[in-house]
Amino acid sequence: MPTSASSRRSFLRFASLAAATPIFTEAHFAFAAQQTSAAKPATRRSFTPPPPGAVLINANENPLGPCKAACDVIASIAPSGGRYDLFGETDKLTKTFASQHGLKEEYIAVYAGSSEPLHYTVLAFTSPTRGLVLADPSYEAPTYAARTSGAKVTKVPLTPTYAHDLKAMVAADPAAGVIYICNPNNPTGTLTSKQEIAWAYDNKPKGSVLLVDEAYIHLSDSPDVLDMVAADKDIIVLRTFSKIYGMAGIRCGFAVGRPDLLAKLQPFGQNAMPITGSAAANVSLLDVELIPTRKKIIGDTRADTIAWLNTNKYKVIGNSQSNCFMIDTGRNGKQVIGAMAAKNVMIGRTWPIWPNAVRISVGTPAEMAKFKTAFKEVMDAPATASLTAKPFTADGRVLPQYA
Ligand SMILES: Cc1ncc(COP(=O)(O)O)c(C=O)c1O
C-alpha cells in the first residue's frame, strides 16, 4: 500500500475509477442494439446466444475465425493451461511484434483485446479538466470511459469525405487530454490520411495524447503510425487480434507507446494474459499469408455487396476500406435493424448523428447473399411496416411470430 497521503489519494482514485469502469466491446454495443429498449450497452460479461442460423453481421467480427496455425497452437498449448505462462508466450508475442515493427519491447503492452487499453488510456489522460475529443460517428467506447473520468466529451462530425476533421478536432477543446482517432473509422470504414494525423500531432493541445485506434488497419491500404511511436511522440496506438486475425473470442490486443505513457495505464488494470491468446496471436503474426489473403477475401466480399447495393440504388456512405460500412436507409435505422432481425439477419447499429444509417459488417459471401435478400424485402416494404416491427424479448430472443 502507498504510504504518503498524496500517493494514497491517487491510489484510491485509480482503484475507484478502475472498479467503476466496465470494459465495453463491440459485442456489448451490438447486443444492446438488438434490444427493443435499445440504448445502453449491457454491463454483462456474457451474451444471450443468437437464434439458430442467424446471420451475424452486427459486431464487425471475422467469420473466418483464427487461422489454422492459431487453432493448432491453441490445441497444443491447452494441456499446459494449469500453469500461468510456462513457456513465456506473452514474451514471445511481444518480441515478434517488436521485431516486425522496429520497436523496443518495452513499447508494447499486451492485453486480452484492445478494449482494455482503450478504456485505460481515456481514464489515464482525461479528467474533469482534460477532455476527450472524437469524431462523429466513431467508435463510442471511449465516451463510456470518459463518463467515469468525468471528462467533457466533444464530438466533431466527419468531413464530407468521411475522414476525421482533425483541424476541427484539434481546435475543439484546448484542454483536451485525449484526441481519439479511429483509422479506418468504425463505423464508416473510411480513412484519415497520415499527413493529417501528423498535422494533428504537431498542433494538438499541450499535454494531450493522440489515441490512434488501428483495429482495422490491416484491411486498408493506409500506412500505420507506429513510426510516430518509435519516434517517442505522445501517441498511443491500439491494435487488436479481433478483426483480420479472427480472434475476438480468443482475446488479444496491444497498446503501443512510449514506456512512460504505457506506465500510466497500468494502475487501471494489468491482468495476466491467457496463454492461448498470446500463443495464437504470435503464430498469427508469423503467418505471412494471413493479412494479404484475408484482406482480399473480405475486400472482395465488401466490393460485391456494395456493388449490389449501388445497382439497387441503396445509398452507401463513403468509401469503406474495412470490414464494415454504413447504408443510409432513408428511414428509421433502428426499425430497419428490427425488421432485418425478424428475418434472422442481425445488422449493426445506428449512431445518433445519423439515425437513418445502419452499419453492416462484412460476413461470408453466403451470409451476404442472405443479407441482400432480407434487405431488399425490408426496403421493399413500406417504411411504416418496419417502423412497427418489435421482434425481440428483453433478453434479445426473437419472438416466435418473427422467427
Ligand atoms: C475501433 C475499435 N477499437 C477497439 C475495438 C476493441 O476490440 P477488442 O477488445 O476485441 O480488441 C473494436 C472492436 O470492435 C473496435 O471496433
Side-chain angles (χ1 to χ4, degrees):
M1 274 297 277
T3 47
S4 81
S6 77
S7 59
R8 196 162 45 245
R9 263 197 311 278
S10 71
F11 172 82
L12 289 173
R13 177 175 170 262
F14 288 139
S16 64
L17 285 184
T21 307
I23 305 293
F24 291 119
T25 65
E26 256 300 325
H28 291 93
F29 299 118
F31 186 83
Q34 307 291 178
Q35 310 300 300
T36 40
S37 57
K40 289 193 194 117
T43 54
R44 50 193 288 168
R45 306 202 68 181
S46 62
F47 302 99
T48 316
V55 172
L56 299 175
I57 49 173
N58 58 343
N60 289 357
E61 295 159 324
N62 185 343
L64 300 169
C67 66
K68 169 134 189 358
C71 292
D72 290 349
V73 81
I74 289 168
S76 70
I77 206 169
S80 310
R83 306 281 176 190
Y84 284 105
D85 192 358
L86 197 54
F87 308 115
E89 297 304 332
T90 305
D91 202 40
K92 279 188 234 165
L93 169 64
T94 308
K95 285 189 165 59
T96 301
F97 189 76
S99 78
Q100 289 181 339
H101 295 282
L103 291 162
K104 294 189 190 129
E105 286 166 42
E106 59 270 29
Y107 282 60
I108 300 154
V110 185
Y111 293 86
S114 62
S115 295
E116 274 184 73
L118 186 160
H119 285 72
Y120 299 158
T121 303
V122 175
L123 294 179
F125 294 98
T126 69
S127 68
T129 56
R130 305 287 327 228
L132 165 73
V133 180
L134 76 167
D136 198 12
S138 190
Y139 188 49
E140 61 272 65
T143 66
Y144 287 90
R147 285 185 191 177
T148 304
S149 69
K152 180 174 103 176
V153 175
T154 308
K155 296 183 185 176
V156 178
L158 297 171
T159 69
T161 59
Y162 307 102
H164 286 56
D165 189 345
L166 285 174
K167 294 238 158 46
M169 286 174 70
V170 159
D173 180 1
V178 171
I179 299 183
Y180 174 76
I181 301 169
C182 187
N183 194 36
N185 189 36
N186 179 4
T188 51
T190 46
L191 298 186
T192 300
S193 78
K194 187 165 178 181
Q195 261 171 320
E196 290 281 316
I197 297 175
W199 182 91
Y201 184 81
D202 291 338
N203 292 279
K204 71 184 174 60
K206 204 163 175 282
S208 62
V209 296
L210 294 192
L211 178 58
V212 184
D213 190 334
E214 297 190 336
Y216 303 92
I217 195 83
H218 306 104
L219 293 153
S220 77
D221 296 328
S222 171
D224 64 37
V225 295
L226 290 176
D227 57 322
M228 294 174 78
V229 172
D232 280 336
K233 305 215 183 263
D234 292 330
I235 280 196
I236 293 180
V237 174
L238 299 174
R239 288 289 179 93
T240 179
F241 286 83
S242 296
K243 306 302 169 186
I244 204 158
Y245 296 105
M247 289 178 32
I250 306 289
R251 312 298 295 140
C252 189
F254 297 140
V256 192
R258 236 175 36 229
D260 64 294
L261 297 179
L262 296 183
K264 294 210 162 75
L265 275 51
Q266 247 174 350
F268 297 101
Q270 183 79 74
N271 203 348
M273 275 297 293
I275 56 171
T276 43
S278 290
N282 188 40
V283 298
S284 299
L285 289 180
L286 294 171
D287 179 346
V288 293
E289 296 300 322
L290 189 153
I291 291 175
T293 308
R294 291 177 165 210
K295 183 179 171 189
K296 177 155 174 34
I297 293 171
I298 294 166
D300 287 351
T301 310
R302 180 186 66 226
D304 172 80
T305 310
I306 290 177
W308 178 86
L309 288 162
N310 287 335
T311 304
N312 285 278
K313 307 270 181 289
Y314 301 121
K315 194 172 160 217
V316 176
I317 300 177
N319 180 21
S320 169
Q321 289 201 18
S322 188
N323 68 348
C324 63
F325 57 87
M326 292 210 92
I327 305 172
D328 181 351
T329 66
R331 55 177 83 171
N332 182 321
K334 283 191 176 151
Q335 302 304 331
V336 174
I337 293 167
M340 290 291 286
K343 296 178 183 297
N344 221 7
V345 178
M346 310 298 165
I347 60 169
R349 58 194 177 275
T350 59
W351 267 252
I353 191 173
W354 292 346
N356 292 348
V358 292
R359 191 192 65 192
I360 309 298
S361 305
V362 178
T364 62
E367 287 170 331
M368 298 323 278
K370 289 185 184 162
F371 158 77
K372 290 174 191 170
T373 305
F375 191 70
K376 187 159 186 338
E377 283 169 10
V378 167
M379 296 303 289
D380 281 350
T384 46
S386 66
L387 277 167
T388 57
K390 285 210 189 300
F392 292 104
T393 61
D395 68 353
R397 292 191 179 278
V398 173
L399 291 168
Q401 65 267 39
Y402 292 103

